[in-house]
Amino acid sequence: MKNLLSFRLGLVLLSASLLLTSCDDEDDGLAIQPHDQNAMMSIMHSMMDKMEAMSMNEDPDIAFARMMIMHHQGAIDMSNEELNTGDDATIRAMAQKIKEEQQKEIAELQAFITSYQPDQPADNTFNMELMSSMEKSGKQSDLQVLTGDTDQDFAQLMSVHHQSAIENSRSVMEHGTSAEIKEMAHMMINAQMAEIQELQEWLLANKSY
């Protein structure tokens, strides 16, 4: 009887040891960083705060241009963070490309604001679509599991960032009147859909979980 009790106790201890080892392995596979400690997320939140504070009482084409300047600056700031602290050559190259594209488009948007003569009042439907897109983007960002790995966090959050730009561009193509802005929006959609696909493919191949 004594030997049987000793045997059973040994089995219990062995099972507990295996369970703890399994948990340790899982912890090693995915290190999660709180959002309020994550550099990329801080940039996203700062960008969202600026856009939410913007006045929307303007011609839709002008409102879109002003908002996308702030949105693009967020992408530039995220790209700079990747270039400063990221390690992966592919993602760093993407960050450099995104930064250059967004800088070029900011200059074009600023030139548009300076030269364009607004031809319609504020559009409540358009404004609601932009606000809805911002809200969805904020929630989607806050749902991301962030690891503190700059390359992975950049790839995840830039995908969310680009998706909101695509939605905003589709809205201005429907509600705006400027052929110039509609063409810019069309180009943004094509470029950022392609970049989302590249980022997602990289994440699937390199995710740590």
Side-chain angles (χ1 to χ4, degrees), residues 9-25:
L9 178 60
L11 285 177
V12 170
L13 292 173
L14 177 61
S15 297
S17 175
L18 290 173
L19 179 61
L20 288 172
T21 300
S22 175
C23 291
D24 288 342
D25 289 342

Side-chain angles (χ1 to χ4, degrees), residues 109-177:
L109 290 165
Q110 289 172 331
F112 172 80
I113 291 171
T114 300
S115 62
Y116 185 65
Q117 295 298 319
D119 59 6
Q120 62 177 323
D123 184 324
N124 288 335
T125 302
F126 173 72
N127 291 344
M128 290 295 292
E129 287 180 7
L130 292 192
M131 290 173 66
S132 176
S133 175
M134 281 193 289
E135 182 179 1
K136 184 168 74 171
S137 178
K139 289 179 179 178
Q140 190 62 36
S141 298
D142 288 338
L143 286 171
Q144 299 302 304
V145 176
L146 303 178
T147 65
D149 179 280
T150 302
D151 303 312
Q152 292 195 28
D153 294 345
F154 175 84
Q156 287 196 112
L157 291 177
M158 188 58 72
S159 296
V160 175
H161 179 278
H162 274 7
Q163 185 58 46
S164 68
I166 290 169
E167 292 177 4
N168 293 344
S169 296
R170 286 174 175 159
S171 290
V172 82
M173 288 181 71
E174 179 178 354
H175 298 283
T177 59

Side-chain angles (χ1 to χ4, degrees), residues 21-40:
T21 300
S22 175
C23 291
D24 288 342
D25 289 342
E26 290 177 3
D27 289 343
D28 290 341
L30 179 62
I32 300 174
Q33 185 178 53
H35 281 197
D36 60 1
Q37 298 175 17
N38 186 273
M40 287 291 176

